[in-house]
Amino acid sequence: MSLTRIDLERDRVRQELALTPLGQHLLTDAELEESLWQILEKREPNEDCWVFGYGSLVWNPLFHFEEKRVVTTHGYHRSFCLWSRINRGTLDRPGLVLGLDRGGRCRGVAYRIAADRTESELRLVWRREMLLGAYIPRWVQVSDGNTRLRAIAFTINRAGPAYAGRLPLETIVERLATCHGRMGPGLDYLVHTAEALRACGIEDRQLRELCERAHALKARG
């Protein structure tokens, strides 16, 4: 099952999560709205908004944007540090998805949303990324090599129950190769991300190694 824009417009993700044991951890509509406005209040009126994608937003953004640029942000790195108990795993066998954790640097894609669409488009992004509070949205500096921009990035919430921390490589590989959730296998998530980044000219050596190791483990059965 692939996530679609219609799913977000109709708030299906919340409705489905509400029927699972994770439902008790859902942010309320008021909490979600407050989180969104805490970010919006820090932008200039009538200013276009940039959103930084480093994982699934690279290959399945779902929101409307005017342009995208390959950019780098410093102070954060891409990491399989977030347990996924529904989408890419189960409560008994959580899978892993990417978060933006402290330290290092990260290359990804920045999307520009037109000022008159910012509120409505970001509300869809919040319904996708923020329902369980696994991320902390922040304004970060990104650069395409020539221009510095401010963009919204979804950084990992280290205080949240889904934060996995720094896991051994073997654990990450095993979970990506074997775990499966309602959105499909963790291996698909890994491969889609690596291929989408590569299509943008971003070669992530860690993701390449994870792909090789996860495929080899899966092949061994």
Side-chain angles (χ1 to χ4, degrees):
M1 170 181 165
S2 296
L3 187 66
T4 69
R5 182 180 173 89
I6 291 177
D7 291 331
L8 300 178
E9 290 174 339
R10 298 182 180 176
D11 213 7
R12 286 175 179 164
V13 180
R14 173 188 291 278
Q15 294 165 15
E16 292 178 6
L17 284 175
L19 300 176
T20 75
L22 295 183
Q24 61 183 319
H25 301 296
L26 283 168
L27 270 64
T28 65
D29 287 338
E31 289 170 332
L32 209 64
E33 195 71 7
E34 180 182 2
S35 170
L36 173 58
W37 279 100
Q38 284 176 350
I39 286 291
L40 289 175
E41 286 173 353
K42 296 177 183 177
R43 74 179 182 113
E44 295 297 323
N46 302 315
E47 177 186 33
D48 288 358
C49 177
W50 292 86
V51 174
F52 179 67
Y54 56 88
S56 61
L57 287 179
V58 179
W59 48 270
N60 192 29
L62 299 181
F63 56 88
H64 296 310
F65 57 90
E66 306 303 313
E67 66 170 306
K68 67 178 183 178
R69 301 185 191 183
V70 174
V71 297
T72 302
T73 188
H74 291 269
Y76 297 96
H77 67 283
R78 188 171 21 246
S79 173
F80 277 100
C81 61
L82 180 61
W83 293 119
S84 178
R85 295 179 170 87
I86 299 292
N87 289 344
R88 300 291 174 176
T90 64
L91 294 172
D92 294 332
R93 279 193 51 76
L96 286 166
V97 292
L98 289 165
L100 200 61
D101 209 350
R102 293 198 303 250
R105 67 175 190 137
C106 181
R107 295 191 75 202
V109 176
Y111 300 93
R112 179 170 64 85
I113 303 174
D116 61 348
R117 285 183 167 183
T118 292
E119 182 181 338
S120 59
E121 293 303 309
L122 284 184
R123 187 162 284 109
L124 296 184
V125 179
W126 252 246
R127 287 179 179 178
R128 170 184 180 154
E129 304 293 341
M130 291 298 298
L131 289 178
L132 292 169
Y135 298 110
I136 298 175
R138 305 180 190 274
W139 288 102
V140 300
Q141 293 289 329
V142 301
S143 173
D144 64 2
N146 298 308
T147 307
R148 291 175 63 85
L149 306 163
R150 266 200 339 152
I152 298 168
F154 293 93
T155 65
I156 195 69
N157 179 4
R158 285 188 162 204
Y163 179 56
R166 183 183 289 273
L167 295 169
L169 177 62
E170 293 75 15
T171 300
I172 297 173
V173 170
E174 187 271 335
R175 293 300 172 119
L176 291 173
T178 62
C179 290
H180 190 288
R182 72 184 182 104
M183 291 293 181
L187 185 55
D188 284 358
Y189 175 93
L190 168 64
V191 170
H192 286 327
T193 303
E195 289 180 346
L197 288 169
R198 191 177 301 118
C200 294
I202 302 170
E203 187 62 49
D204 188 307
R205 286 179 293 180
Q206 181 186 30
L207 292 191
R208 182 177 61 194
E209 180 182 1
L210 287 173
C211 284
E212 292 171 353
R213 287 175 175 260
H215 277 118
L217 179 60
K218 194 172 183 65
R220 291 198 297 269

